Amino acid sequence: MKLPRLARLTLLPLLLASVLLLTACHRDEPMPWQLTDITGHMPDLSFKLTDDTGKTVTAADYRGKVVLLYFGYTHCPDVCPLTLAHLHVVMQQLGKLADDTRILFVSVDPTRDTPDVLHGYVNAFDPHAVGLTGSAGDIEALSKRYRSAFTREPDKGDGSYDVSHSSGIYVFDRDGKARLLATPSDTQDKLIHDLHLLLSTGDQSLGNRP
Amino acid sequence: MLSLIPAGLLFASALLSSGAHATQAEHIRASHAWIRLLPGTLPAGGYVTLRNDSDQPASLIGASSTAYGDVMLHQSMGQQTGMSRMMTIDHLDVPAHGQVALAPAGYHLMLEKATHPLQVGDTTKVTLHFADGSSLDTDFLARPANTVDAD
């Protein structure tokens, strides 16, 4: 189809301009993240596990919420409780915004971490925390998905044992896209700052929506 | 006859020096002692700051408590590498005229097999054992699971 000359003259630049505008919107002037940006580097949140009320849940159940994913276990007396305690402070600082956030505590020790044990545990830290357990295979699959690792250490002679595990917190946006990684050396302030950005941008996946 | 004098001197100096050095525990001041209570029968974490006013270093080799069947000295490691693990350590030195802190994400006591349920606010006596056989009783305050600061 051949357009009238005038139309072609105005349409092409218009098209070009709008494409450029759209590109500018979607390719960030980088978002001012303070945590490590993992956008595009990790797969979307996906799992099928059992929550601390005994219900089968999948990642879809958490769409619409900003998710903080952490691998740990309840027999960990030091690092896991400290991490959850810090996340509790973060939730408190977020105030009302925390309603749209969930802390998913995924057990790397499903043998001992039954839904009941997890229920008491997460409730001791924060109302936005959910305990997740499942079969060894399902836990390992989720762990591998985020290149996280865990190792059950040898029994200490009385049946008790420790579990070494990754200490990072994976942050997903409301669409379940992996966005940020918080390490133990990152301060609470960085997490609060970045969560504000994720929570105030509604449900979008990438880029800066005006 | 003459050999008695050096022997006597030796004996006297031995008496004097043992009195002057006292035990490792006697030179230790413990502060900020608290326990992070977790629900049910889960192991608890114990923390304390130890200050040594002696000219000699002291060495903490363990702890015990009538409130727990098992108390171990641990160190959390790997925070910078991204892999969290715990190691049992057999001693923790408190430098001469210095201090060491058992604090979250580092050295801590792992207290297991509680003999009776503890409540937040309870104080529990924990006995700290030192390398010379001396020990120090310290009251640890039970705090909620989501405690962040020791103060």
Side-chain angles (χ1 to χ4, degrees):
Chain A
M1 177 184 79
K2 250 204 147 45
L3 283 171
R5 188 184 161 80
L6 190 64
R8 265 185 287 145
L9 278 172
T10 51
L11 208 62
L12 195 57
L14 226 103
L15 207 66
L16 216 66
S18 51
V19 165
L20 279 172
L21 267 172
L22 280 169
T23 322
C25 280
H26 282 280
R27 179 184 317 151
D28 323 75
E29 344 135 7
M31 288 284 274
W33 302 117
Q34 293 184 358
L35 298 173
T36 304
D37 186 352
I38 60 170
T39 304
H41 298 307
M42 292 255 171
D44 296 356
L45 189 62
S46 171
F47 60 79
K48 184 167 158 199
L49 294 168
T50 306
D51 76 6
D52 57 270
T53 68
K55 197 171 71 147
T56 301
V57 290
T58 67
D61 292 311
Y62 301 98
R63 290 283 189 272
K65 306 273 184 244
V66 166
V67 167
L68 290 93
L69 183 75
Y70 181 72
F71 296 93
Y73 67 113
T74 67
H75 282 70
C76 171
D78 185 49
V79 172
C80 301
L82 180 68
T83 304
L84 288 175
H86 279 145
L87 291 181
H88 171 61
V89 172
V90 169
M91 294 297 113
Q92 286 184 312
Q93 294 294 310
L94 288 175
K96 201 86 184 67
L97 284 176
D99 291 349
D100 289 345
T101 308
R102 290 293 180 270
I103 300 163
L104 300 186
F105 181 81
V106 179
S107 174
V108 294
D109 185 15
T111 308
R112 288 185 296 194
D113 291 347
T114 62
D116 273 346
V117 168
L118 283 170
H119 190 72
Y121 187 80
V122 294
N123 282 354
F125 290 97
D126 191 275
H128 307 90
V130 175
L132 295 176
T133 186
S135 69
D138 286 342
I139 300 284
E140 201 174 314
L142 183 58
S143 174
K144 277 206 167 93
R145 190 175 176 83
Y146 298 104
R147 295 177 228 157
S148 176
F150 63 94
T151 313
R152 177 175 158 166
E153 302 293 335
D155 274 23
K156 290 185 272 192
D158 58 357
S160 70
Y161 55 88
D162 303 326
V163 184
S164 303
H165 58 91
S166 288
S167 49
I169 299 164
Y170 302 85
V171 185
F172 298 83
D173 65 22
R174 296 170 190 264
D175 293 331
K177 301 261 180 268
R179 304 304 304 279
L180 305 162
L181 176 66
T183 65
S185 51
D186 286 317
T187 60
Q188 282 161 239
D189 287 344
K190 286 186 183 179
L191 192 49
I192 293 164
H193 172 276
D194 286 2
L195 285 175
H196 268 294
L197 288 177
L198 281 176
L199 287 161
S200 59
T201 47
D203 58 318
Q204 49 141 74
S205 19
L206 288 164
N208 221 343
R209 191 175 286 174
Chain B
M1 191 56 179
L2 277 166
S3 61
L4 277 174
I5 300 167
L9 277 171
L10 225 87
F11 183 64
S13 63
L15 273 176
L16 278 171
S17 53
S18 65
H21 284 155
T23 64
Q24 289 186 6
E26 280 169 327
H27 284 288
I28 300 288
R29 303 287 170 267
S31 61
H32 297 308
W34 63 284
I35 289 172
R36 180 192 298 286
L37 271 192
L38 292 177
T41 57
L42 291 173
Y47 307 102
V48 63
T49 300
L50 301 175
R51 172 164 282 286
N52 182 11
D53 66 20
S54 168
D55 294 334
Q56 305 300 318
S59 192
L60 178 71
I61 58 165
S64 59
S65 174
T66 51
Y68 290 94
D70 240 331
V71 184
M72 280 184 288
L73 191 51
H74 276 195
Q75 183 181 12
S76 289
M77 302 167 64
Q79 301 317 305
Q80 301 315 314
T81 62
M83 274 298 285
S84 229
R85 51 185 300 260
M86 263 200 316
M87 252 179 41
T88 305
I89 57 173
D90 57 25
H91 73 277
L92 178 57
D93 291 336
V94 192
H97 295 292
Q99 71 173 41
V100 80
L102 281 77
Y107 301 113
H108 59 278
L109 297 177
M110 182 161 166
L111 305 127
E112 290 183 273
K113 306 187 179 89
T115 54
H116 60 273
L118 279 174
Q119 312 286 339
V120 167
D122 286 350
T123 52
T124 306
K125 191 165 72 181
V126 175
T127 304
L128 303 171
H129 300 281
F130 294 88
D132 66 345
S134 61
S135 62
L136 175 69
D137 285 345
T138 306
D139 279 336
F140 279 62
L141 176 67
R143 287 198 157 103
N146 58 7
T147 303
V148 174
D149 296 310
D151 297 271

